[in-house]
Structures are given as C-alpha cells and as structure tokens.
Amino acid sequence: MADDASTTPHERLLAAATELFYREGVHTVGIDRVIARAGVAKATLYSTFGSKDALIAAYLEIRHREMRERVDQAIGRHRSSREQLLAVFDLQIELTSDPEYRGCPFANATAEAHAPSADAAADAYRDWLRETFTALASQTGASNPRTLAQQLHLLWDGAAQSARMDRDQHGAWAARTAAATLLDAALPTA
C-alpha cells in the first residue's frame, strides 16, 4: 500500500491490518508486515495504536461495524419479518461464496491470539449477533424467540465453520433451509 496523501497513517495501518490479518491471521502477520504494507514507520504504529493487541482490536471493530452494516442492509431489503430473518442467512450465503472467504474473523482471531482485546471484540460481536437473531425472531411472532435465536446462531456458526474448514459453501444454503424450518416450527399455529 503506497503512501497515499489522501489517507492518514491511522487509516493506512487499519487498511493494511484488515487485509493482512483476515487473509493470513492475526498471529501469523507480524507488525513489520503491517508497517511495510501501510508505508509508515514503526514509531507511527506505536504512537497511533500503542501495541499489536490494540491494532487487532481496531481491526475487529472494523469487521464488526462492516458486518452490522451488511446485516442491516440485507434486512432492509425485505418487508416481512420472516424474510428479514432469512435475509441474514442469504447474506451468509453471499459471504461464504466469496473466494476470499476465510471464515469468521472473530473465531479466527480468538483461536490464534488469546489477547484480551480479541476476546472482548469477539464477545461484543457474538452478543450483537445473538441480540439480532432474538429481535428478528421476536418480530416474527415466534413462540420462544430466545430459543429460536440460539438455534439460529448455532446454524450461523456451523455454516461459517463448514465454509472455512470444509471449503464448502453449500453449508450456508443448508443453514438457510434449516433456519426456515426452525422458524416455521416456532411460529404459533393459526
């Protein structure tokens, strides 16, 4: 990444970290690689973030924000609460179909680096995802939205893991089908 006058060193460091950490892993990629990719001095990294752990936290914060935006956009394309809930799984199908998909960045980061910031970022992301599934399940009128949300979250995690470990994007399709079945079963009968 060339030194671009239109971006700050902070932005270049985050862009480099986001690219390298997701593609290769937070533990594998050293600070020197991030610095070289960003085109900044080592002192700039430490004056901007203070540590690699803080840079990892910032990277995960970006990934969380991006996922929230993508989920909100996917949900916003639909009017019915059923289709809004299933839109989250449609998004997962899209994500796992990308040849650059490397799995959940939060699962990857916490598996590689048991840094407090990575754990805290993963906890925040997972809390948000559970809350999102619970809210969507509630809006459908599901008889037990928390239970349904837990089931949906497990499907989401399983499909992401399958896509990463098995390099099989069909798991996301299966998760969407299972989510629809669980949702239909959770709705009160007329």
Side-chain angles (χ1 to χ4, degrees), residues 89-103:
F89 289 93
D90 292 335
L91 173 60
Q92 188 175 49
I93 291 166
E94 179 185 326
L95 294 171
T96 60
S97 297
D98 184 337
E100 301 298 316
Y101 183 75
R102 299 289 183 265

Side-chain angles (χ1 to χ4, degrees), residues 128-151:
W128 163 78
L129 190 56
R130 274 189 294 275
E131 290 167 8
T132 299
F133 279 129
T134 302
L136 290 168
S138 293
Q139 291 168 12
T140 66
S143 55
N144 191 336
R146 287 199 185 283
T147 298
L148 178 58
Q150 183 180 25
Q151 294 166 337

Side-chain angles (χ1 to χ4, degrees), residues 13 16 18 22 27 42 54 61 92 95 99 116 119 121 133 137 145 170 173 181:
L13 284 164
T18 299
Y22 185 67
H27 181 68
K42 187 177 275 194
E61 184 178 312
Q92 188 175 49
L95 294 171
D119 292 339
F133 279 129
H170 294 94
W173 284 100
T181 301

Side-chain angles (χ1 to χ4, degrees), residues 34-190:
V34 174
I35 291 166
R37 182 82 174 117
V40 301
K42 187 177 275 194
T44 302
L45 178 127
Y46 288 108
S47 68
T48 304
F49 291 100
S51 67
K52 182 178 180 182
D53 188 48
L55 182 59
I56 292 168
Y59 150 69
L60 291 172
E61 184 178 312
I62 287 171
R63 295 308 299 241
H64 186 164
R65 185 181 65 240
E66 290 171 347
M67 183 58 80
R68 285 177 82 117
E69 290 169 1
R70 292 187 78 172
V71 166
D72 288 346
Q73 288 171 358
I75 291 168
R77 290 187 201 112
H78 301 279
R79 295 187 70 132
S80 83
S81 56
R82 182 180 194 280
E83 289 305 312
Q84 288 177 340
L85 187 148
L86 294 176
V88 179
F89 289 93
D90 292 335
L91 173 60
Q92 188 175 49
I93 291 166
E94 179 185 326
L95 294 171
T96 60
S97 297
D98 184 337
E100 301 298 316
Y101 183 75
R102 299 289 183 265
C104 172
F106 300 92
N108 295 345
T110 57
E112 291 179 59
H114 297 289
S117 64
D119 292 339
D123 289 346
Y125 169 76
R126 293 181 64 73
D127 288 347
W128 163 78
L129 190 56
R130 274 189 294 275
E131 290 167 8
T132 299
F133 279 129
T134 302
L136 290 168
S138 293
Q139 291 168 12
T140 66
S143 55
N144 191 336
R146 287 199 185 283
T147 298
L148 178 58
Q150 183 180 25
Q151 294 166 337
L152 296 172
H153 194 185
L154 290 170
L155 286 173
W156 175 273
D157 286 349
Q161 192 68 358
S162 176
R164 172 70 174 124
M165 299 298 295
D166 302 330
R167 291 163 298 286
D168 178 13
Q169 293 79 30
H170 294 94
W173 284 100
R176 189 198 190 280
T177 301
T181 301
L182 287 168
L183 174 57
D184 293 342
L187 295 175
T189 56

